[in-house]
Amino acid sequence: MYIVIVGLGGIGRNLARQSVEHAHTVVVIDQDEARCSELLEHYDVMAVTGNATDKTVLEEAGIDRADALIATTSDDSVNLMTCWLAKKFRVPNVVAIVNQPSHSDFFKEVGVRISENPDELVAARLYYWTQNPQLQQLASIPGGTIFEIVAEAGAPIVGHEIRELKVKDFVFIAIRRVRGELIIPSGNVKIQPGDIFTVFTKKEAEDDCLRLLNKQLKKSAE
Amino acid sequence: MYIVIVGLGGIGRNLARQSVEHAHTVVVIDQDEARCSELLEHYDVMAVTGNATDKTVLEEAGIDRADALIATTSDDSVNLMTCWLAKKFRVPNVVAIVNQPSHSDFFKEVGVRISENPDELVAARLYYWTQNPQLQQLASIPGGTIFEIVAEAGAPIVGHEIRELKVKDFVFIAIRRVRGELIIPSGNVKIQPGDIFTVFTKKEAEDDCLRLLNKQLKKSAE
Amino acid sequence: MYIVIVGLGGIGRNLARQSVEHAHTVVVIDQDEARCSELLEHYDVMAVTGNATDKTVLEEAGIDRADALIATTSDDSVNLMTCWLAKKFRVPNVVAIVNQPSHSDFFKEVGVRISENPDELVAARLYYWTQNPQLQQLASIPGGTIFEIVAEAGAPIVGHEIRELKVKDFVFIAIRRVRGELIIPSGNVKIQPGDIFTVFTKKEAEDDCLRLLNKQLKKSAE
Amino acid sequence: MYIVIVGLGGIGRNLARQSVEHAHTVVVIDQDEARCSELLEHYDVMAVTGNATDKTVLEEAGIDRADALIATTSDDSVNLMTCWLAKKFRVPNVVAIVNQPSHSDFFKEVGVRISENPDELVAARLYYWTQNPQLQQLASIPGGTIFEIVAEAGAPIVGHEIRELKVKDFVFIAIRRVRGELIIPSGNVKIQPGDIFTVFTKKEAEDDCLRLLNKQLKKSAE
Amino acid sequence: MYIVIVGLGGIGRNLARQSVEHAHTVVVIDQDEARCSELLEHYDVMAVTGNATDKTVLEEAGIDRADALIATTSDDSVNLMTCWLAKKFRVPNVVAIVNQPSHSDFFKEVGVRISENPDELVAARLYYWTQNPQLQQLASIPGGTIFEIVAEAGAPIVGHEIRELKVKDFVFIAIRRVRGELIIPSGNVKIQPGDIFTVFTKKEAEDDCLRLLNKQLKKSAE
Amino acid sequence: MYIVIVGLGGIGRNLARQSVEHAHTVVVIDQDEARCSELLEHYDVMAVTGNATDKTVLEEAGIDRADALIATTSDDSVNLMTCWLAKKFRVPNVVAIVNQPSHSDFFKEVGVRISENPDELVAARLYYWTQNPQLQQLASIPGGTIFEIVAEAGAPIVGHEIRELKVKDFVFIAIRRVRGELIIPSGNVKIQPGDIFTVFTKKEAEDDCLRLLNKQLKKSAE
Amino acid sequence: MYIVIVGLGGIGRNLARQSVEHAHTVVVIDQDEARCSELLEHYDVMAVTGNATDKTVLEEAGIDRADALIATTSDDSVNLMTCWLAKKFRVPNVVAIVNQPSHSDFFKEVGVRISENPDELVAARLYYWTQNPQLQQLASIPGGTIFEIVAEAGAPIVGHEIRELKVKDFVFIAIRRVRGELIIPSGNVKIQPGDIFTVFTKKEAEDDCLRLLNKQLKKSAE
Amino acid sequence: MYIVIVGLGGIGRNLARQSVEHAHTVVVIDQDEARCSELLEHYDVMAVTGNATDKTVLEEAGIDRADALIATTSDDSVNLMTCWLAKKFRVPNVVAIVNQPSHSDFFKEVGVRISENPDELVAARLYYWTQNPQLQQLASIPGGTIFEIVAEAGAPIVGHEIRELKVKDFVFIAIRRVRGELIIPSGNVKIQPGDIFTVFTKKEAEDDCLRLLNKQLKKSAE
């Protein structure tokens, strides 16, 4: 796969690394020559120094044979124009970071798939954790949350079957055992100390769910 | 709740906003006075300009009555020392961003809960999307992935019951309807065009799962 | 008229001045506070410091009641997104500078009227002058050029009627007299020394036209 | 022709490109080495890094055999001294940008031909357009304006002869047809939809002229 | 001995020089390439440019075979994390500067030996001197001070045996003669003009000690 | 006492703090206004922003009534000229840091007392420690070293009288007990676990001394 | 007298001080606000921040009532345009520094009196001194030099009349006595030790003159 | 002659050029590598980049075989220490610029010959000229001034002998004729139009002298 990555901030660099590790052909574009040079030292990519909204820069990056272009700069207007150019070049797969929520519509009109503000995503996760120290949020969707919780040794439910938990409006997605085993839980799984539960709950049931889980999976409130 | 936020990069600012929106008392610490001033203009927080590894700066921020401290700077060594100081001040809830995976152990030894590298998280999501344009990854856990996929109008499964899909090693976590309804799916739910499925699959079953879903939920390969 | 001007480079500043001189209500937007302050000292405008691609900045500038928005920054991607936002706000009259010709299509698709690259325009004029020292180009259109030329004292045509010039494929648009009078020339106008001719010529006739005019309006080749 | 271009801002760069395209020998002078290097990468010119008011710099640029020198920096005092030096070196053709109107006289006293402030020129054009959205100004001369206007399909005059328009104090300079044909109009030209008229009007007749043209060439007021 | 020195400020550079002079293998780490280059020009060391809290940087510096690591940066949080990493790599001898006294405990918990704030040390010495111009402080320990004082020609004690001084709560550690001889004094040493006494005194006896020494070793109070 | 401190680097700031704590009148001089302002926020001093080699700056700082001036900048030539000026103003007590050993003579000629290079001092101490992990160097004089060493529980000498150590060419200066007591040791002091010995040894005897002490005061070589 | 000084480098600042000391009305112009502010703190002048080639800046400085304008910037093109503007405003007395000798003619054409390059002037003086350590050059004119030389005690001529020196092609301009008396020498003045001679010599006679003076006024060649 | 020049500001560069033109061996020292490089491109000198107060830098510059060292930096404390070091190296001829008059004594004590503040010198000359537009000051000594004045065609004295001017307390030093001839004037020289007089006058006689010369040498007050 021929992948063009625009912007070499933290996200762009990580993306380059991951793409190289999966053996794709990777071209990066950034205005800062130093950033390009640094990446070239570490990974087997091509790099073009320049502004990706400049058509000749995209052409130099091989846009005409790209399978995907991913715009990751912190400037939405650059991301937008770059993605639009990529669409004109008929790149099949055009993805962008959108830094300001109010700009999302523009990207959609142009036919670009977008990822929400990454900082907001991480902040939400940290905030959730501050409020629920015993949980770790994995993701949220409209109307629900996915999180992880650990069954402590000595907690009431340990040694019992999972069906004994009166589940309402939430789902046990998976259980990870201490030794690394991953189970898609059915009702008769017997809970062991250290089991990590991946749980989905509806927003409206979140409080009940947490109360129940804290009571059953934790030895005592910390 | 009295929350101290260290570092006013993108994550710190978002966190401040979210915390204020939930009516917490928020104090931010950053070395850059301009960043502090800018935040004060927009949100009802307190701000301390200084280095959070300096005990007097933390005291000025009211560390002794803080319920939580969240370190979000891009410098792990600053995050570590700040969190450690917070532990000494017996802050009940101490959370940090860890920018380099190899630093995680230090934070754990000191008793700080940590969040993985945010840039890596977002990059992984974008990469996944590049590879699977019809999906959107929500999260990954060791051994499995959670993603979303839309049932297209005219796809084979539309109008049929969910049980007709031969699910193996993956779970339907939730279905979001076009009108916003969120369903925890049981087998006899009838699939409608536009339904967004939240799905969990084990890593080893991911390929089979995607093949099945693409065949059944998509009208034709794009 | 309520006019919003984005960008306070040379063009933006001149535009602000001209708009104020015609008694319009003018709001300027620029990211550089110093530029805004400087303008406020000299003209009766309002100024908003910020990025015009930020919706709240446009709202602060009163975009909802603007009759026109003119984007003059040197960054096409900023101009594009700003103009697009202005269109969403239903500003009747949205105009932009386009710095790179290859970006023009985007602006047109969004419904923005555009002005060609100003630097290129001026350079063309200077170049023309280098080649034709006795002329001054005013404008060029596809297929033709508009320029000015002075009738020197002692030139053959001075004292004769304009009809005596065998005009083919060019037009005398206007004649400006030394005392300031402006004449739309008919054939029996008698040419006086110092008359400035505004002339239009087709591209293919330009060489003949210049040869004729130089012979008749100039005393001798310089 | 041997052309020396002083200053590599937008105008200077465009001028260099245009001059090279016409196969002239081009030498550029700029104080910023990076700007010079960048140009050398793209065009077949010579470049001298230095201050053009320094005689040895001009000599290095071959001033003694130059046919023309064009000063395009944004600093009038540099332009003035450079041009004056060029005159001493007996360069036949010395042209300059003048950034501040009040400096024009100096250039004229020294015998340099000058071009008006380019930013002001562009701003005037944009301003004109804001006021007359259906027109595009091409140029203005003391006492008159040259602009373009399109005949819309369905407008009253379409299909009629041009003589039917009661022209007073304005001139139809040219008509550009949709297919690209350029006509110097005589009275019996029949107007077609999409015809672009290049028109000259006296300042005092501009309002009447616009009223007439808008009524006859436009289907309805927008 | 294989020594890793982190930070090339004044202390780090001096340390590198001293270590090289004793023929050790020395590797320095600093984030500033210029500082590294400069050192390499003068001394036979190896240099790694990078952040010492980055595990791969330490590995590049040969941390696995280091006998000692000394952290000398002015940023305690960097020193702490670097030293901790060094401990994980089982470096036998890990030493650090601690710039803020309140950070000392962290270093001790991690098992790092620390040196007090160097600036404070020097300032104390200068301050002592301001107060006691005729003395030079060498060191202070809890409860006592070590200083030097010179026996002037013509002072009362000159020519007498040291035992004649009624020493109480202070110790004559050593006497340096003008010709460079160093004596560990016994009571019957005869004092010569120019003898430099190294003296230890308890804090509570310091005033008496100084009074006595000034009276006996100085010709007259200055 | 009226003290003028020149230079607000680490040493200068510490000196200011110490001087204020002893209730002296303190004036600081530094060229950087920010440094001055910062100090004024924390301590009750006066501050003059300016170059101390400028006579009017010194006068503004009250040099004519100063009891002491201490020059602590990292620029020896500034320190030298400042001190010389202070001597001209008959300041009784003029002290300076000398950053380059080869500059010492100038200061002495002018009559300024000097302190050796502070970075070198600290580096020497750290180096000593790297070589002798169980010791801590306190000071060195020409021909000898003063250091501290701890008597470990279970070491051979513990419980015995100090006279049993065959001391040659070194001196026990003081012993600090675990409870804080400070003893000037006589031969019959009985050694307790945790006693910290302050020891002086001649250079030529240092190896023997360390061997003896390590054998007698340490339980086993680490 | 109303004096406008352009440029606040070392020369401009000195000029401002001298002019104020003679009680003139002084206005300074400099582009750097900090320089203006600093001057205002020390002297009773007016200051205008701006570019002196901008007519409105000169007007703000009161150019219409100025008796003199002195341009002292290090940029000849700025000095030239400023002086020319001053001439247009009919300032009676317009003086400028000329930094590059080749620019002098421009200033003269415009009617500005100029001072030679000050750095060259000082350098010439220093160079002269290097070659003739016992002299101090005061000035040089085309064809001759003015310098000072001291009559040493014990030199042959001391006690004799000045006429005894065989003067050829040089002139004794003045003699300054040790007690400060200034004499315009006639032949029978008797020379005293310490007399400082101001001497003029023609270039071609300089060697002879120096030989004579060194022999007669110096005790022995150094 | 082997000359070391310290500091490459305007004075230093001019000095280097003049010294090279007289075929001396020249070494320059400056801390700024760019300045050194630039000089090396133009002149045949050696250059050492570094701080001249650093002994090793001076040694690298060949201070031990230098005939002269000239310190021209704008920092008096650097000039002082450098010159002092040069004296220690027994350089026969050590000269310095002194930027602040109050520092002069230090240089004299160290045995360095000094040149007054060059900016002040030039400013004085410009000021003098502002006050006496028809004169040009060449130099001033305590108690007197040397200046030049031109005899205008048509002035009263033209055609007369110089003796007819009633000279009191001033001296005609030299007369430069239009054709370049330089005369040491005796009384019977006949004055020609355009003669440039070099004149010395005592301070107390300056007004009378100027009045007389203006009356006799000028046609009419300008």
Side-chain angles (χ1 to χ4, degrees), chain F residues 53-55 76-78 80-81 84-85 88 100 102-103 106-107 109-110, chain H residues 53-55 76-78 80-81 84-85 88 100 102-103 106-107 109-110:
Chain F
T53 65
D54 187 334
K55 213 171 126 180
D76 282 348
S77 57
V78 164
L80 177 62
M81 191 177 266
W84 204 350
L85 277 165
K88 302 255 173 203
Q100 280 193 32
S102 65
H103 292 158
F106 294 133
F107 287 82
E109 280 191 42
V110 171
Chain H
T53 65
D54 187 336
K55 213 171 127 180
D76 282 347
S77 57
V78 165
L80 177 63
M81 192 177 263
W84 204 350
L85 278 165
K88 302 252 173 204
Q100 280 194 32
S102 65
H103 292 159
F106 295 132
F107 287 81
E109 282 191 40
V110 172

Side-chain angles (χ1 to χ4, degrees), chain B residues 97-167:
Chain B
I97 295 290
V98 177
N99 298 279
Q100 281 193 31
S102 66
H103 292 158
S104 298
D105 286 350
F106 294 133
F107 286 82
K108 288 179 188 158
E109 280 192 41
V110 172
V112 176
R113 276 172 308 125
I114 56 174
S115 170
E116 63 202 296
N117 180 337
D119 287 336
E120 197 167 347
L121 180 74
V122 176
R125 195 167 293 196
L126 290 170
Y127 177 74
Y128 190 88
W129 213 1
T130 309
Q131 303 303 312
N132 307 281
Q134 62 279 43
L135 306 181
Q136 173 147 11
Q137 188 197 36
L138 287 182
S140 75
I141 61 172
T145 307
I146 300 167
F147 58 84
E148 292 192 330
I149 185 166
V150 181
E152 294 181 356
I157 198 65
V158 166
H160 294 255
E161 291 195 355
I162 200 169
R163 80 180 74 189
E164 298 178 34
L165 286 168
K166 283 174 177 73
V167 168

Side-chain angles (χ1 to χ4, degrees), chain G residues 130-202:
Chain G
T130 309
Q131 303 303 313
N132 307 282
Q134 62 280 43
L135 307 179
Q136 174 147 9
Q137 188 198 35
L138 286 182
S140 75
I141 62 172
T145 307
I146 300 168
F147 58 85
E148 293 192 329
I149 185 168
V150 181
E152 293 181 355
I157 197 65
V158 166
H160 294 256
E161 291 193 356
I162 201 169
R163 79 180 74 188
E164 298 178 33
L165 285 169
K166 282 175 179 73
V167 169
K168 207 187 115 197
D169 281 335
F170 71 91
V171 181
F172 290 109
I173 300 170
I175 296 176
R176 289 196 336 267
R177 292 263 139 109
V178 171
R179 290 176 315 272
E181 193 188 355
L182 183 75
I183 302 166
I184 294 184
S186 59
N188 61 349
V189 166
K190 206 170 273 174
I191 295 169
Q192 302 177 1
D195 279 358
I196 301 170
F197 286 71
T198 305
V199 182
F200 170 79
T201 172
K202 286 191 172 180

Side-chain angles (χ1 to χ4, degrees), chain F residues 18-160:
Chain F
Q18 293 177 23
S19 303
V20 167
E21 285 170 6
H22 288 83
H24 296 294
T25 303
V26 176
V27 187
V28 297
I29 301 176
D30 196 282
Q31 298 205 70
D32 183 351
E33 192 162 352
R35 282 178 158 192
C36 289
S37 305
E38 198 209 327
L39 200 78
L40 289 173
E41 281 180 29
H42 291 89
Y43 300 108
D44 181 20
V45 301
M46 281 164 288
V48 178
T49 304
N51 187 332
T53 65
D54 187 334
K55 213 171 126 180
T56 61
V57 167
L58 284 179
E59 285 169 344
E60 202 180 328
I63 192 74
D64 54 323
R65 59 187 175 284
D67 298 300
L69 176 141
I70 308 154
T72 72
T73 82
S74 59
D75 183 337
D76 282 348
S77 57
V78 164
N79 287 350
L80 177 62
M81 191 177 266
T82 302
C83 287
W84 204 350
L85 277 165
K87 297 299 280 187
K88 302 255 173 203
F89 276 103
R90 303 189 174 284
V91 175
N93 209 344
V94 179
V95 183
I97 295 291
V98 177
N99 298 278
Q100 280 193 32
S102 65
H103 292 158
S104 298
D105 286 350
F106 294 133
F107 287 82
K108 287 177 188 158
E109 280 191 42
V110 171
V112 176
R113 277 172 308 124
I114 55 173
S115 171
E116 62 201 298
N117 181 338
D119 288 336
E120 197 167 347
L121 180 75
V122 176
R125 193 168 294 195
L126 289 170
Y127 177 74
Y128 190 88
W129 213 1
T130 309
Q131 303 302 313
N132 307 282
Q134 62 280 42
L135 306 180
Q136 173 146 10
Q137 188 198 34
L138 286 182
S140 74
I141 62 173
T145 307
I146 300 167
F147 58 84
E148 292 192 330
I149 186 166
V150 181
E152 293 182 355
I157 198 66
V158 166
H160 293 256

